[in-house]
Amino acid sequence: MTRTAGAPPIVEVRGLRAWYGPAQILFDIDLTLERGSVVALMGRNGAGKSTTFKAIMGLLGRVEGTIRFEGNDVRGRPAWHMARAGLGYVPEDRRIFTELTVMENLAVGRQPRRDDAPFWTPERVFELFPNLGRMRDRRGGEMSGGEQQMLTVARTLMGNPRAILLDEPSEGVAPVIVEQMASMILDLKREGLSVLLSEQDPGFAGAVSDRACILDRGQIRFDGTMQSLIASPDIGHAYLGL
Amino acid sequence: MTSASLLVQILTGLAGASTLFLTGAGLSLIFGVTRVVNFAHGSLFMVGAYLGWTAGEWLRALLPGSAAGFWLATLLATLGVAALGALLETLILRRIYRAPELFQLLATFAVALVLRDGCLWLWGAEDLLGPRVPGLTGALSVLGVPFPRYDAALIVIGPAVLGLMHLLLTRTHFGVLIRAATQDREMVSALGVIESRLFTSVFAIGAGLAGLAGALQLPREPANLGLDLPAISDAFVVVVIGGLGSLPGAFLAALLISLVKAGCVALGTVELGGYSFAFPRLTLVAEFIVMAIVLVVRPYGLMGRPEGALRGPAASPIRPEPETPRSRALWGLAIAALALLPWIASASPYTTVALVDVFCFALFAMSLFFIMGPGGMHSFGHAAYFGLGAYGAAIVLKATGWSMMWGLLIGPLAGFVGALIFGWFSVRLSGVYLAMLTLAFGQIVWSIIYQWDAVTGGSNGLTGLWPAGWLSTRYPGVTPNAAYYLLTLACVGSAVLVLRRVLDAPFGLAVRAGRDSPLRAESIGINVHRIQWMAFCVAGTAAGLAGVLYAFSKGSIAPDLVHVGRSIDGLVMVLLGGVESLAGPLIGAAAFTLLQDSAGRSFDYWRAATGAAMLVVVLAFPQGLAGLARSIRGRAKA
Ligand SMILES: Nc1ncnc2c1ncn2[C@@H]1O[C@H](COP(=O)(O)OP(=O)(O)O)[C@@H](O)[C@H]1O
Ligand SMILES: [Mg+2]
């Protein structure tokens, strides 16, 4: 994959506001995901990380502001349009299809090959997640939490995305799996994918991300490199409870 | 009964199970993916029968005497109804997937009304006798007892379609998408599946199955305009017993119902300890009894799963507009004007007669609103309490000769007792399952009233229920029914006032808390089931009062008072008015009753007109008529 100088960021969010019913959750969020980079969106529970992802993905009713994907304004587009445009989404609560087998779960995510993104087949996905390859016909509901977490990522990769929104991949899974997730993110980055990651664990975020954004009560409080965040412990203290 | 004829009864049951399964399977499929309870499903079945008839006539001329003509006609009918389903999905349902489920019900019910009159217009009111299928006429002999060949063919078709559907769902990519969407359609969309295309195809398939069932039923039953209601209620029952979204469940349920019915016929009249009981009478309600038992024992149906329960968008909050001096003055003025009406309208006596109807239904609708709006419990059998009130009072008063005023106590009491019993079971369920259990209770009450000739007068009903004395005296200078009119106004007015007060009281807040967040309500010490049960009782009491008032204004009552059609009328009134405000059910009842009254007498296609009006309301003003009025007021203020 070539990186063209001056090309627009793959995901660019400006002045994003979002509501659940009458309650406003996001207040003028600005976010940039450069091509081939990994950005961690951090913040406490309830800060608005998942809501930001859903807003970008077109899964919320009321959203204002600008959302650009590869330079195109995509706000108000339905979720399937975003997925087909090359934006993958891995939700926080996994949401795998429990009645479907591993292979069938992957089939739901399948999209045609794209010239400018890595092409995934079940076999390639199983190279990344060898465990899944050993349980192709197991139903989603009969898998452990960690295996389910891998399956959601794998299912999203089957859509051959150029960027993915990864919502709390380390939440509630065993440390071994967390390590696997971290190395998987770095693998994807090496393949040229851009990743917007929501994360509460600073160790995990620090290990994989280039930049960090900190969200607190629906507002961005910090946006900078991972190093500069580590260098300012008061920010971590104030917004992440470190 | 010989074992041979028992066997034939069972086989006949199995044949019936096939069409029952096909209709239910379509409904289940559509519900599973789109989460829309398609009330028009019975109408699609009916259209299938009519299309099958037309195509059959047409092909019989082309291919005389050939069985291929019938099967081809059946195929054409299936495809035609599938196309109709796709059309309905794109034009109407697609716009309301995110609307509250009640609006979806209202919209599909409106479609049912339009389709029914569409059939009337295209095919006329006469029954159209179906063809005899060449090659399948006559009967086989089963151990010497004749059994129709066509029924034998049906027995094969049901499982065959189940098998095909199973292959479609498990062996094709499209089937995998359907199963995935049945669990989580939002996630399916987020993975790049074009939701609208998937939904349209699923709707078409579901509709096609209903059409197929209708066309297949044709050789057993003529195409007629009464097919839709029984078909939809059967389909609901099958789907609910089987578990929403489960095709094997639907098949099992269809078998179970058909066999229980066959069993009832086979048992005949049984003498037990001096009493004789005619089991065949039970066939009218067998399916509802089975459903009630299944739901009480397995709240999600035989093969359903808890997560298959309705996960619709949260009900919109109902915040009763606070009473202001102005609103109180407006209400006062309206009541005063209505109270003076017998004098004002003395020249047009029909006005107050029509308004008595409106009042009765306003209270009926208000009582339904009470559990539906703030309670979030959709009762599909609310006519039961209306009917219990009417029949309870009528039976006691006829037996004792007491004055009608006692009826004003007995009616509500009967409604209360009914709600006390049915409510206890119903509040244990939620969503569609609750709706179906209430429907089952409604049908059980109906069938008892319909069949218990000695007490309820059976299908003839009870007559001679006139209010005596001062209530029926004609006074000079006022409309003829002035006294009864004023009594109704006073009763309904105070009942509505009481209901409103109850909703504002802590009890009403607890009811709403139970709807919005049962878990949190439980955690702050509210016994949600008990509160909901009490709400049921309050609603049943009010509906019972409406029932007596109605019965004595008409002078006679018949089982149609309790029919499922009446329950649906109530739903339409509430939905038309909007579930978001207390004035809603009153406005909805008035609009509906007056519309039906005037349109029904002057216009053959009043159902279609009502349906079209409802569609406009749903698509354009999803807040109902009362919401419309509010937004106009809001705009005027701005
Ligand atoms: N479906 C919902 N309806 C209403 N409010 C919600 C819903 N989901 C989340 N919220 C609220 O939005 C806020 C942000 O939530 P979320 O984006 O899930 O936070 P995070 O992912 O950072 O933990 C929280 O206050 C939460 O209560
Ligand atoms: Mg979250």
Side-chain angles (χ1 to χ4, degrees):
Chain A
M1 254 202 63
T2 53
R3 230 179 281 173
T4 347
I10 193 148
V11 177
E12 192 180 11
V13 170
R14 292 285 168 263
L16 178 69
R17 296 178 293 281
W19 285 259
Y20 276 117
Q24 185 169 1
I25 306 294
L26 301 181
F27 303 84
D28 292 303
I29 304 273
D30 291 342
L31 259 184
T32 307
L33 178 64
E34 295 291 350
R35 279 162 202 265
S37 71
V38 178
V39 172
L41 185 61
M42 307 179 69
R44 291 198 182 96
N45 263 339
K49 304 181 294 293
S50 301
T51 308
T52 307
F53 284 8
K54 285 183 191 157
I56 296 174
M57 203 58 204
L59 292 170
L60 286 186
R62 184 172 167 206
V63 173
E64 290 175 4
T66 316
I67 302 170
R68 275 190 237 282
F69 183 69
E70 306 196 299
N72 304 315
D73 189 357
V74 291
R75 180 171 60 95
R77 296 294 172 87
W80 59 261
H81 180 275
M82 300 304 301
R84 294 195 157 211
L87 183 63
Y89 171 57
V90 180
E92 65 182 327
D93 33 10
R94 302 191 187 118
R95 292 169 75 170
I96 56 156
F97 305 113
T98 47
E99 297 299 303
L100 271 53
T101 64
V102 167
M103 288 304 276
E104 287 173 333
N105 267 281
L106 295 181
V108 178
R110 195 175 75 208
Q111 290 293 328
R113 177 195 283 267
R114 229 187 280 281
D115 288 337
D116 49 3
F119 178 60
W120 296 90
T121 58
E123 294 316 313
R124 269 206 71 204
V125 165
F126 294 145
E127 282 169 25
L128 203 58
F129 301 109
N131 296 10
L132 294 183
R134 288 190 287 272
M135 45 179 80
R136 293 164 199 233
D137 294 321
R138 186 166 305 177
R139 290 189 323 134
E142 293 161 358
M143 299 164 70
S144 74
E147 289 158 356
Q148 290 190 346
Q149 184 68 51
M150 291 180 203
L151 183 57
T152 35
V153 177
R155 185 179 64 179
T156 301
L157 289 178
M158 288 295 292
N160 310 317
R162 265 168 286 186
I164 49 179
L165 308 176
L166 198 51
D167 201 351
E168 304 224 22
S170 71
E171 195 193 17
V173 292
V176 205
I177 310 277
V178 175
E179 260 169 52
Q180 259 189 338
M181 286 287 159
S183 77
M184 180 263 319
I185 291 173
L186 293 174
D187 282 348
L188 295 181
K189 185 182 167 185
R190 228 167 285 129
E191 296 244 15
L193 258 72
S194 324
V195 180
L196 181 59
L197 164 82
S198 103
E199 194 46 68
Q200 299 204 42
D201 172 1
F204 184 94
V208 299
S209 330
D210 306 309
R211 296 179 71 82
C213 291
I214 294 183
L215 202 55
D216 181 58
R217 277 172 274 169
Q219 285 174 298
I220 296 282
R221 303 294 180 159
F222 173 88
D223 185 351
T225 59
M226 216 62 221
Q227 289 86 340
S228 63
L229 176 62
I230 294 164
S232 34
D234 46 326
I235 293 180
H237 180 72
Y239 301 121
L240 303 176
L242 301 176
Chain B
M1 165 144 308
T2 66
S3 57
S5 60
L6 177 66
L7 182 62
V8 166
Q9 279 302 336
I10 290 174
L11 289 175
T12 309
L14 292 179
S18 278
T19 43
L20 207 54
F21 161 68
L22 291 178
T23 329
L27 186 69
S28 191
L29 198 65
I30 291 174
F31 174 84
V33 173
T34 66
R35 298 280 138 169
V36 169
V37 177
N38 178 26
F39 230 108
H41 207 70
S43 316
L44 295 171
F45 173 91
M46 179 171 74
V47 173
Y50 275 113
L51 278 183
W53 184 84
T54 300
E57 290 292 297
W58 189 55
L59 285 167
R60 197 134 44 113
L62 283 178
L63 311 162
S66 146
F70 172 78
W71 298 110
L72 210 55
T74 303
L75 181 67
L76 285 178
T78 308
L79 295 177
V81 177
L84 177 64
L87 191 73
L88 291 173
E89 198 277 342
T90 13
L91 289 182
I92 297 165
L93 291 166
R94 178 168 299 180
R95 290 162 215 285
I96 51 170
Y97 284 128
R98 298 197 195 288
E101 83 213 26
L102 283 176
F103 277 88
Q104 301 171 343
L105 276 183
L106 186 61
T108 57
F109 181 67
V111 169
L113 290 177
V114 173
L115 286 180
R116 192 235 172 240
D117 275 4
C119 289
L120 172 63
W121 182 62
L122 283 171
W123 285 285
E126 298 286 314
D127 287 10
L128 300 177
L129 219 52
R132 295 163 150 273
V133 186
L136 293 176
T137 51
L140 299 169
S141 162
V142 176
L143 303 177
V145 182
F147 179 66
R149 280 172 198 272
Y150 183 70
D151 284 10
L154 277 184
I155 292 180
V156 180
I157 291 174
V161 172
L162 176 66
L164 285 176
M165 293 296 298
H166 182 75
L167 286 180
L168 172 79
L169 287 175
T170 53
R171 296 294 162 81
T172 67
H173 184 60
F174 178 64
V176 171
L177 295 185
I178 291 181
R179 282 190 292 141
T182 301
Q183 186 184 342
D184 190 343
R185 58 182 169 165
E186 191 183 66
M187 197 58 231
V188 168
S189 169
L191 287 168
V193 176
I194 304 180
E195 215 174 21
S196 46
R197 263 192 228 162
L198 181 66
F199 283 20
T200 310
S201 352
V202 165
F203 212 91
I205 294 178
L209 286 173
L212 174 63
L216 285 175
Q217 190 66 5
L218 202 52
R220 309 173 93 207
E221 192 177 4
N224 67 80
L225 294 172
L227 287 180
D228 52 353
L229 259 189
I232 186 63
S233 92
D234 284 354
F236 273 150
V237 168
V238 165
V239 169
V240 166
I241 293 180
L244 286 169
S246 162
L247 290 187
F251 188 73
L252 212 62
L255 282 184
L256 183 64
I257 293 171
S258 304
L259 291 181
V260 168
K261 280 190 178 179
C264 286
V265 175
L267 278 174
T269 302
V270 172
E271 301 273 346
L272 202 73
Y275 290 96
S276 76
F277 187 81
F279 272 96
R281 284 182 163 198
L282 273 181
T283 51
L284 263 182
V285 272
E287 63 206 79
F288 296 102
I289 294 173
V290 172
M291 174 161 84
I293 294 171
V294 167
L295 283 183
V296 168
V297 180
R298 282 190 66 99
Y300 298 101
L302 294 175
M303 302 187 68
R305 279 159 204 281
E307 67 262 24
L310 266 195
R311 208 181 61 174
S316 44
I318 294 170
R319 292 194 211 95
E321 289 166 29
E323 278 187 33
T324 59
R326 220 188 104 194
S327 76
R328 222 171 293 166
L330 268 177
W331 279 99
L333 215 63
I335 290 179
L338 286 173
L340 290 177
L341 205 68
W343 285 270
I344 301 168
S346 60
S348 53
Y350 187 68
T351 323
T352 50
V353 174
L355 278 179
V356 167
D357 279 10
V358 170
F359 294 160
C360 293
F361 287 120
L363 181 56
F364 176 57
M366 185 77 187
S367 72
L368 178 57
F369 163 83
F370 188 82
I371 44 177
M372 234 165 82
M377 299 177 284
H378 312 156
S379 166
F380 274 45
H382 208 60
Y385 313 112
F386 191 78
L388 283 173
Y391 270 95
I395 291 166
V396 173
L397 296 196
K398 275 187 98 72
T400 57
W402 292 346
S403 119
M404 189 235 148
M405 290 317 246
W406 285 105
L408 296 180
L409 279 180
I410 299 164
L413 190 67
F416 170 81
V417 172
L420 195 70
I421 300 167
F422 301 152
W424 189 85
F425 292 102
S426 302
V427 299
R428 267 137 243 277
L429 307 177
S430 62
V432 177
Y433 291 98
L434 179 140
M436 289 304 119
L437 187 60
T438 54
L439 173 77
F441 286 133
Q443 288 304 91
I444 291 169
V445 170
W446 172 79
S447 103
I448 292 173
I449 288 177
Y450 189 80
Q451 301 191 36
W452 201 4
D453 292 332
V455 175
T456 62
S459 58
N460 297 324
L462 297 170
T463 52
L465 308 171
W466 296 109
W470 62 276
L471 278 174
S472 48
T473 311
R474 297 184 72 148
Y475 301 93
V478 292
T479 50
N481 71 336
Y484 198 81
Y485 169 87
L486 290 174
L487 173 77
T488 312
L489 177 63
C491 290
V492 170
S494 11
V496 168
L497 213 66
V498 169
L499 287 179
R500 184 184 170 137
R501 279 286 144 83
V502 170
L503 278 185
D504 282 342
F507 172 73
L509 296 178
V511 170
R512 272 180 266 157
R515 172 199 65 186
D516 292 337
S517 179
L519 281 181
R520 274 186 227 172
E522 291 280 359
S523 73
I524 57 171
I526 296 175
N527 183 337
V528 173
H529 282 170
R530 167 115 49 87
I531 288 282
Q532 290 178 333
W533 187 27
M534 284 162 72
F536 247 92
C537 293
V538 172
T541 311
L545 177 61
V548 201
L549 289 168
Y550 183 79
F552 281 84
S553 80
K554 293 290 170 210
S556 65
I557 48 180
D560 71 322
L561 210 64
V562 202
H563 195 253
V564 54
R566 174 88 49 187
S567 297
I568 293 173
D569 286 352
L571 287 169
V572 172
M573 291 172 198
V574 172
L575 296 168
L576 205 57
V579 277
E580 314 219 339
S581 101
L582 291 167
L586 304 181
I587 296 173
F592 185 85
T593 313
L594 294 176
L595 195 73
Q596 197 176 42
D597 216 33
S598 56
R601 267 176 299 139
S602 57
F603 182 45
D604 281 347
Y605 297 106
W606 63 269
R607 284 188 191 81
T610 315
M614 280 159 57
L615 279 177
V616 170
V617 170
V618 170
L619 295 179
F621 320 110
Q623 313 268 289
L625 289 179
L628 174 65
R630 216 177 333 147
S631 74
I632 291 173
R633 245 187 294 143
R635 232 171 285 151
K637 262 186 229 157

